[in-house]
Amino acid sequence: MTQSPPTAFDIADMTWPPPPYQPPVPPVTAADGVRRFDGITYATTPGYRPRLLDVQVPAGEGPFPAVVWIHGGGWLDGDRRYPPPTVPAALLHGTVLAAGLALVSIDYRHSLEAPFPAQLHDVKAAIRYVRAFAGELGIDPDRIGVWGESAGGHLAALAGLVGPADGADGTVGVALEGAQGVGSGETGVLAVVDWYGVSDLVALAAHPMPPMPSGVEFPDPYEALLGASVAERPDLARAASPVTYAEGPTPPPPFLLVHGTRDGLVPYSQSEVLAAALKGAGGEVTLHPVDGADHIFLGSPDIVSIVEESVAFLARHLGAGA
């Protein structure tokens, strides 16, 4: 069947270039009253896949405080829909919603699509988008927090610490706020949960990567993120390190850092360094070591309590139920 060409009215409504984002799709309401907005395009860039986010809003009267969830995967992999395999999606999502928090799960450009700071630009764009469309989404634009794991924890920490002026002086040749999607607007957050994220790429350069299984090819995640080795671009490595921004013109937002003490991929010391820097800057920070756990909390017998602690921290600082 041949599709009819656009009418004159359709053509008149078309714009070029296409808009850098799309308004929220209509929600689907589940039997329990939870509203879902799936696959919203929050940012587009010619030559790249559209960046998408999903929103889940609790049943009841809003607006609700919101948590932006940032997936891990070494900045090379991962998907907004799936937490790490040790953390069931139903557990994470259900605990967030039961606490009276909306959940915003985002994708971002991977490092082989675009090196740093593209990933941070996308996180900032998602926060701007949520604020711009807060009314349609049922979200309180003044009560937003971020939560990420591994690479997403690193990006969550940066989102909590990097302000519009950071990088604007051109000292590392990158502007960190970005103008993707909704090109301008406030990107600050009230609280950060960082699960086993990188905090100091320069220090981490001395930590050997765990060996890959035979036949598995996986690029060096740090070189892929920076587009060069840390030795070649120490300035960019510092610009991509959350510890660089712990000391700012205002105290940092409250942080919860959760990290396995036997993490062979991102050493526990990375969270210790960030905790010390945040405390030195007058910030409120809680460092929770998960004794004996490896990366993604492998070996921990109590994932449920880790999720519950993280959600309770966010609910407290975002005023859920207020």
Side-chain angles (χ1 to χ4, degrees):
M1 179 176 176
T2 304
Q3 186 174 9
S4 300
T7 66
F9 178 81
D10 294 329
I11 294 171
D13 282 356
M14 294 174 66
T15 61
W16 188 264
Y21 56 86
Q22 297 291 334
V25 296
V28 174
T29 303
D32 59 3
V34 171
R35 286 176 294 137
R36 296 185 58 104
F37 302 79
D38 291 328
I40 301 174
T41 299
Y42 74 86
T44 62
T45 306
Y48 298 94
R49 61 192 166 101
R51 268 81 79 207
L52 305 180
L53 60 79
D54 300 334
V55 181
Q56 299 180 65
V57 183
E61 293 294 326
F64 295 94
V67 178
V68 176
W69 167 261
I70 311 170
H71 70 77
W75 309 283
L76 287 157
D77 199 1
D79 185 310
R80 70 187 187 280
R81 298 168 295 178
Y82 307 117
T86 48
V87 181
L91 169 65
L92 189 146
H93 297 180
T95 307
V96 169
L97 293 166
L101 299 166
L103 180 64
V104 180
S105 306
I106 71 170
D107 283 332
Y108 53 88
R109 283 171 290 177
H110 295 156
S111 56
L112 293 184
E113 295 178 272
F116 184 83
Q119 297 71 33
L120 180 57
H121 287 174
D122 290 348
V123 173
K124 294 274 190 174
I127 295 170
R128 285 194 297 268
Y129 184 95
V130 170
R131 283 208 165 98
F133 290 98
E136 293 91 326
L137 297 171
I139 285 172
D140 185 340
D142 296 323
R143 293 189 290 166
I144 296 176
V146 288
W147 178 7
E149 62 95 15
S150 196
H154 161 262
L155 294 173
L158 284 175
L161 295 171
V162 169
D166 291 305
D169 59 3
T171 53
V172 295
V174 295
L176 299 177
E177 192 72 11
Q180 299 289 318
V182 176
S184 62
E186 173 62 40
T187 61
V189 298
L190 295 185
V192 179
V193 175
D194 173 358
W195 281 0
Y196 46 85
V198 170
S199 65
D200 185 345
L201 272 78
V202 177
L204 196 60
H207 179 73
M209 288 287 295
M212 292 291 107
S214 178
V216 174
E217 293 186 10
F218 199 81
D220 182 292
Y222 309 113
E223 289 193 14
L225 178 68
L226 301 177
S229 68
V230 171
E232 292 169 325
R233 289 298 310 272
D235 57 338
L236 188 57
R238 285 191 293 273
S241 297
V243 292
T244 301
Y245 311 100
E247 187 77 50
T250 58
F255 268 71
L256 172 63
L257 307 173
V258 190
H259 207 134
T261 58
R262 299 190 66 182
D263 193 323
L265 186 61
V266 179
Y268 176 70
S269 59
Q270 286 282 301
S271 285
E272 290 181 306
V273 167
L274 182 55
L278 292 168
K279 287 179 181 176
E284 176 188 340
V285 56
T286 300
L287 174 58
H288 174 186
V290 182
D291 291 336
D294 201 339
H295 205 62
I296 67 171
F297 303 136
L298 279 170
S300 171
D302 194 2
I303 299 297
V304 171
S305 68
I306 296 172
V307 172
E308 289 177 343
E309 177 192 15
S310 301
V311 172
F313 174 88
L314 290 162
R316 183 169 68 254
H317 288 289
L318 298 180

